[in-house]
Amino acid sequence: MPTLSFTHRFLPATAEGRPPLLLLHGTGGDEHDLVPLGQAVAPGSALLSPRGKVLEHGMPRFFRRLAEGVFDEADVIARANELADFVAEAREAYGLPAPVALGFSNGANIAAALLLLRPEALAGAALLRAMVPLGAPPAVDLAGKRILILSGAMDPIVPAENAGRLAGLLERSGALVRHQNLPAGHGLSQADVTIVKEWLS
Ligand code: MLT
């Protein structure tokens, strides 16, 4: 594994013609966490899986928060830029086209920030249990980008209103958004796996 700006795992593609996935873990996860999910939803795709650099009581995250659901927005901006730079570096090192993000929870939130701040970093995104990452994001052109948002109807962390606001924001920016509310909590369910796999193919 070459030394790049994020600790990461990279698994090369074993089949042709599928976009690579950028795997973005939740709070307390690491670069190994979402590899089994990536392999389940996108068999044969290259997988690029960085570890978030922010530590909250020892738990890796992709940006700082002030409380649950209250984000340090200056840090969100700085970290999204840092992650977009890593994606560019990794694309060069591994010879990859723009990846589709597959993010869970905090990883979904940084993926949403990437879409809003550095849209060139991603070809699209599957956002699992995502929230609006920035109160007043800049205008952005997401025309042609496919985005899947899967929310949990019983999620105690992400209010339904917030997930709906994120879907509306991305849609108004031109993205092709599919937003589905699943009978689930904040954790992932079998339905997430089935729907992401179907959406990716
Ligand atoms: C976040 O901090 O990004 C969200 O509250 C999700 C989480 O990590 O619990």
Side-chain angles (χ1 to χ4, degrees), residues 26-27 61 63 65 67-69 71 105-106 109 131 157 186:
T27 302
R61 288 175 51 85
F63 57 82
R65 64 179 162 184
E68 195 170 275
F71 304 150
S105 188
N106 181 246
N109 297 341
M131 300 176 70
I157 297 176
H186 196 66

Side-chain angles (χ1 to χ4, degrees), residues 2 5 36 43 46 62 65 70 83 98 139 153 184-185:
S5 57
F62 286 97
R65 64 179 162 184
V70 184
L83 184 59

Side-chain angles (χ1 to χ4, degrees), residues 14-31:
T14 56
E16 282 189 12
R18 308 203 61 173
L21 290 191
L22 175 68
L23 303 177
L24 299 168
H25 63 77
T27 302
D30 64 19
E31 67 276 24

Side-chain angles (χ1 to χ4, degrees), residues 105-182:
S105 188
N106 181 246
N109 297 341
I110 194 71
L114 277 181
L115 287 165
L116 295 168
L117 298 170
R118 295 284 296 272
E120 79 285 357
L122 299 177
L127 309 175
L128 312 180
R129 311 301 184 269
M131 300 176 70
V132 173
L134 293 167
V140 64
D141 180 7
L142 296 177
K145 298 214 197 278
R146 292 174 69 236
I147 298 171
L148 173 69
I149 303 175
L150 294 181
S151 304
M154 283 113 35
D155 190 333
I157 297 176
V158 182
E161 166 280 320
N162 191 304
R165 197 146 42 87
L166 176 64
L169 174 63
L170 296 171
E171 212 156 42
R172 281 193 305 281
S173 306
L176 294 160
V177 178
R178 169 168 159 196
H179 182 200
Q180 236 174 296
N181 255 305
L182 305 180

Side-chain angles (χ1 to χ4, degrees), residues 38-110:
Q39 289 170 327
V41 298
S45 286
L47 302 176
L48 176 63
S49 186
R51 184 197 306 173
K53 289 186 182 186
V54 171
L55 288 179
E56 184 182 273
H57 308 300
M59 295 186 295
R61 288 175 51 85
F62 286 97
F63 57 82
R64 247 167 56 82
R65 64 179 162 184
L66 308 173
E68 195 170 275
V70 184
F71 304 150
D72 176 339
E73 294 205 5
D75 197 59
V76 172
I77 293 168
R79 299 291 176 180
N81 279 306
E82 188 180 58
L83 184 59
D85 292 344
F86 163 74
V87 171
E89 235 176 84
R91 284 183 60 186
E92 170 91 25
Y94 298 120
L96 301 172
V100 171
L102 173 59
F104 166 62
S105 188
N106 181 246
N109 297 341
I110 194 71

